[in-house]
Amino acid sequence: MQKRKCVSVVQLRKLLTAAICSIAFMAVVSVHVQHVVPSSNDQKFNDKITTTRDLQRWTRELAPPHLSKVLFPPPKSNVSRGVSDYEKLWKPPSNRGYLPCTKPTPNYTAPAESRGYLLVHTNGGLNQMRAGICDMVAVARIINATLVVPELDKRSFWQDTSNFSDVFDEEHFIRSLANDVKIIKKLPQELVNETRIVKYFISWSGMDYYENEIATLWEEYQVIRAAKSDSRLANNNLPADIQKLRCRACYEALRFSPRIEQMGKLLVERMRLFGPYVALHLRYEKDMLAFSGCTHDLSQDEAEELRIIRENTSYWKIKEIDPVEQRLKGFCPLTPKEVGIFLTALGYPSKTPIYIASGGIYGGESHMAELRSRYPLLMSKEKLASIEELEPFSNHASQMAALDYIVSIESDVFIPSYYGNMAKAVEGHRRFLGRGRSILPDRKALVRLFDKLAQGTMTEGKSLSNKIIDLHRRRLGSPRKRKGPISGTKGMDRFRSEEAFYSNSLPDCLCRTGPLHPNTASHVVR
C-alpha cells in the first residue's frame, strides 16, 4: 500500500511539472507574438496598407500555388544587413521637422449656397485624372458650384471603360469633402436636358479667372461642363485654404476603391517577404516612347512603328521629333539597360527585390534582358498575383495603374525612369507622408555618362559610382520648398516651368513641428 502511494505522488509531481512548463512556454510564445505584430498606430497608405514582415505562412496560402515556392523564399533577417548598407541604400531622408497640415484656417467657412452644377470630364491616365479631380474640387469651391462626381477618361490611348466608383471610393469622396464642397453622384433629372455651356478652362488659372470670368456664367447657365481637368489651376499664389483643400482632396478624400486597396495591400505584403524593396516606375511603354519620340537602342522597325503611332494620334500635336536631341536634353525615359547601370552605380546589390510598376514594356523581354541579368528578382503584379486574382482589374489600365501606385507609395525606395504624371504623383504623396526615399534620376547628366560607357571612354566601377552618387545626394525626396518658374520664362512657358503642386505641396500642406505651429499634423492621412 505504501509503495502504491509513493508511485501516485511521483506521477502527480510529473503532471504538475509538465503543466507548469506548458504554461511558461505559452507565456513566452504569447510575448513573442505580441512583439512581431505591427503596432496599430503605424500610419500607412489610407491606413490600410501594412508592412508586416512576418506573414510567410499566411501569404503562402494566399499566393498562387504554382508560384509560392518560387516567389517566397524565407525572409532574411535584417540583422545580417550592415548598418552602412542601410544608411547608404535604404535610410529615409530626414523630414526636417515637417508634418502634414491640412486643417483649414480659422477664417474658413462652410460651403456657400450653390449657384449651379459643375460637370467634369477628366482626361489622361490615372494620375493626370487624380490631379484634375482634386483641382476641380477646389474650382467648385471657388465658384460656389455643386460638383457632380467626375467622369473618368474613356477615350484616351488606354481606352479604359472604368467609372469613378470602379477606381475610387465614391462614398468616402463625397463624405470627406462635405464641409468643403457639395458633391452629388448624378445631375438632377430635371436638369439633364438643360442647356449647358462646355468650357475649356484656361490652364494654370488663378482666383481672378474663376471668380470674374467663370462664375459670371451662372447668370445664363445652371450647368457648366469642364471639357478637360488637367492643369486648370495654378500651382502657386492661391489662398492658403484653397491649397489645403487640394491636399485634403488628394490625400484624404480620393481613396481607391476597397477592392483595389485590398489587392494593393496583398501585393505589398508579398513584396515585403523579400525584405526592403525598390519600386521602379519603368516608363518604357509604347505610348510614352511614341509620344516622346525617343528611340535610343531601338531597331529601325520599332522606331518606325512608334513614329506611325505618333502620326496617327490626333491629339498629340508634335509630330516631328529629333530623338538624339530629345535624349541629350534629358527628355527621354531611361531604358531598362540604363536603369540597371544606374542602380548598380548607386550600390544596390543584385539580390535587391525590385517591383516593376508599369504597363507592358515595349519590346518585352528583348529590352528587359540586361536589367534582369543584373537584378534577377524583378517582380510585378502579374508575378505576385495569379491570373484569377488580377482578372477583375485586367483590361482596365487605370485600375492596374492604381495597384502600381499603392505598391510604389509603400516601397522603401521609389525610382522613376521618367518624370511624368505617375512619378510626380508618387513623389508628392511620399513627400507628404514622409515615406522613404524617392530618387529622381538626373537624366540629362546620366545620358552623357552612359554615352561615355558606350564609347569606351569610361568603364563601370568606383569612378562612375561616385559620380552618380554625387549627382543624386540632393535628389532623395526630402522636404523642400516648391520651385517657382524658371527665370526668364514668360506666358504659358512660365507656368509649365513651375514645379507641380502635387509633386511637392510644401509649404502649403507641410508645416514645421513645434509650439509655434499649432496647425501641424491637424489631419491624419488615412
Side-chain angles (χ1 to χ4, degrees), residues 35 70 147 366:
H35 177 72
V70 177
L147 177 66
S366 64

Side-chain angles (χ1 to χ4, degrees), residues 256-270:
F256 292 121
S257 66
R259 66 193 186 97
I260 288 177
E261 285 206 2
Q262 183 179 10
M263 189 67 226
K265 171 184 176 180
L266 184 59
L267 294 175
V268 170
E269 288 170 342
R270 289 177 180 176

Side-chain angles (χ1 to χ4, degrees), residues 23-78:
I23 292 170
F25 175 77
M26 291 301 293
V28 171
V29 170
S30 176
V31 170
H32 175 70
V33 169
Q34 289 176 10
H35 177 72
V36 300
V37 172
S39 167
S40 60
N41 294 326
D42 288 347
Q43 294 179 11
K44 295 298 176 186
F45 180 68
N46 286 350
D47 215 26
K48 294 184 180 181
I49 304 299
T50 63
T51 56
T52 310
R53 299 174 189 271
D54 193 20
L55 296 170
Q56 179 75 1
R57 180 179 174 186
W58 179 79
T59 310
R60 279 187 186 276
E61 293 170 357
L62 290 182
H66 65 288
L67 295 178
S68 297
K69 293 181 180 179
V70 177
L71 293 181
F72 305 119
K76 297 178 181 178
S77 170
N78 288 332

Side-chain angles (χ1 to χ4, degrees), residues 449-465:
L449 295 176
F450 296 150
D451 285 346
K452 288 182 179 181
L453 289 177
Q455 296 159 6
T457 58
M458 179 180 282
T459 58
E460 288 193 60
K462 191 170 183 179
S463 176
L464 176 65
S465 180

Side-chain angles (χ1 to χ4, degrees), residues 230-480:
D230 63 322
S231 303
R232 305 295 141 172
L233 198 58
N235 292 304
N236 303 307
N237 302 317
L238 293 174
D241 276 323
I242 293 299
Q243 298 290 57
K244 291 179 183 298
L245 173 56
R246 295 168 87 180
C247 289
R248 290 199 297 277
C250 191
Y251 303 128
E252 297 176 27
L254 204 57
R255 286 182 179 175
F256 292 121
S257 66
R259 66 193 186 97
I260 288 177
E261 285 206 2
Q262 183 179 10
M263 189 67 226
K265 171 184 176 180
L266 184 59
L267 294 175
V268 170
E269 288 170 342
R270 289 177 180 176
M271 275 305 297
R272 283 286 177 209
L273 292 173
F274 298 102
Y277 70 91
V278 173
L280 171 62
H281 183 227
L282 194 56
R283 195 68 169 96
Y284 204 71
E285 298 149 318
K286 183 181 289 187
D287 67 297
M288 179 69 244
L289 297 176
F291 174 77
S292 63
C294 297
T295 60
H296 182 70
D297 273 354
L298 298 181
S299 68
Q300 287 187 347
D301 289 343
E302 289 172 327
E304 179 62 14
E305 179 187 24
L306 297 175
R307 187 196 66 77
I308 293 172
I309 292 173
R310 185 169 65 254
E311 184 67 32
N312 293 336
T313 305
S314 59
Y315 50 86
W316 291 351
K317 303 304 181 185
I318 302 175
K319 304 299 182 182
E320 297 297 325
I321 299 175
D322 182 338
V324 175
E325 181 182 356
Q326 191 83 335
R327 181 170 175 269
L328 289 175
K329 288 181 177 179
F331 295 158
C332 288
L334 299 180
T335 68
K337 175 183 177 180
E338 291 170 340
V339 169
I341 297 171
F342 178 65
L343 288 169
T344 301
L346 289 176
Y348 289 96
S350 62
K351 62 183 179 181
T352 302
I354 298 176
Y355 179 87
I356 304 295
S358 75
I361 300 299
Y362 187 58
E365 187 58 32
S366 64
H367 290 306
M368 290 293 290
E370 293 201 47
L371 175 59
R372 192 179 302 281
S373 68
R374 290 173 182 264
Y375 295 95
L377 203 55
L378 296 182
M379 310 308 296
S380 64
K381 49 190 174 294
E382 291 81 5
K383 286 189 175 181
L384 291 169
S386 67
I387 294 174
E388 291 76 18
E389 287 173 319
L390 285 180
E391 193 277 331
F393 315 100
S394 298
N395 301 317
H396 297 288
S398 293
Q399 297 182 46
M400 295 289 268
L403 296 177
D404 284 341
Y405 187 95
I406 292 173
V407 183
S408 296
I409 289 292
E410 288 300 311
S411 64
D412 298 273
V413 176
F414 172 69
I415 300 176
S417 67
Y418 180 78
Y419 199 50
N421 292 314
M422 167 79 164
K424 292 173 183 176
V426 173
E427 179 197 19
H429 202 154
R430 285 168 64 84
R431 180 178 277 124
F432 180 80
L433 295 173
R435 182 71 48 77
R437 293 190 178 197
S438 298
I439 306 176
L440 181 63
D442 184 343
R443 298 191 307 279
K444 187 174 181 179
L446 286 173
V447 295
R448 284 162 173 76
L449 295 176
F450 296 150
D451 285 346
K452 288 182 179 181
L453 289 177
Q455 296 159 6
T457 58
M458 179 180 282
T459 58
E460 288 193 60
K462 191 170 183 179
S463 176
L464 176 65
S465 180
N466 288 339
K467 288 180 182 295
I468 289 179
I469 290 172
D470 286 342
L471 279 172
H472 295 87
R473 290 190 190 280
R474 297 181 180 273
R475 302 173 71 93
L476 301 179
S478 60
R480 57 169 176 74

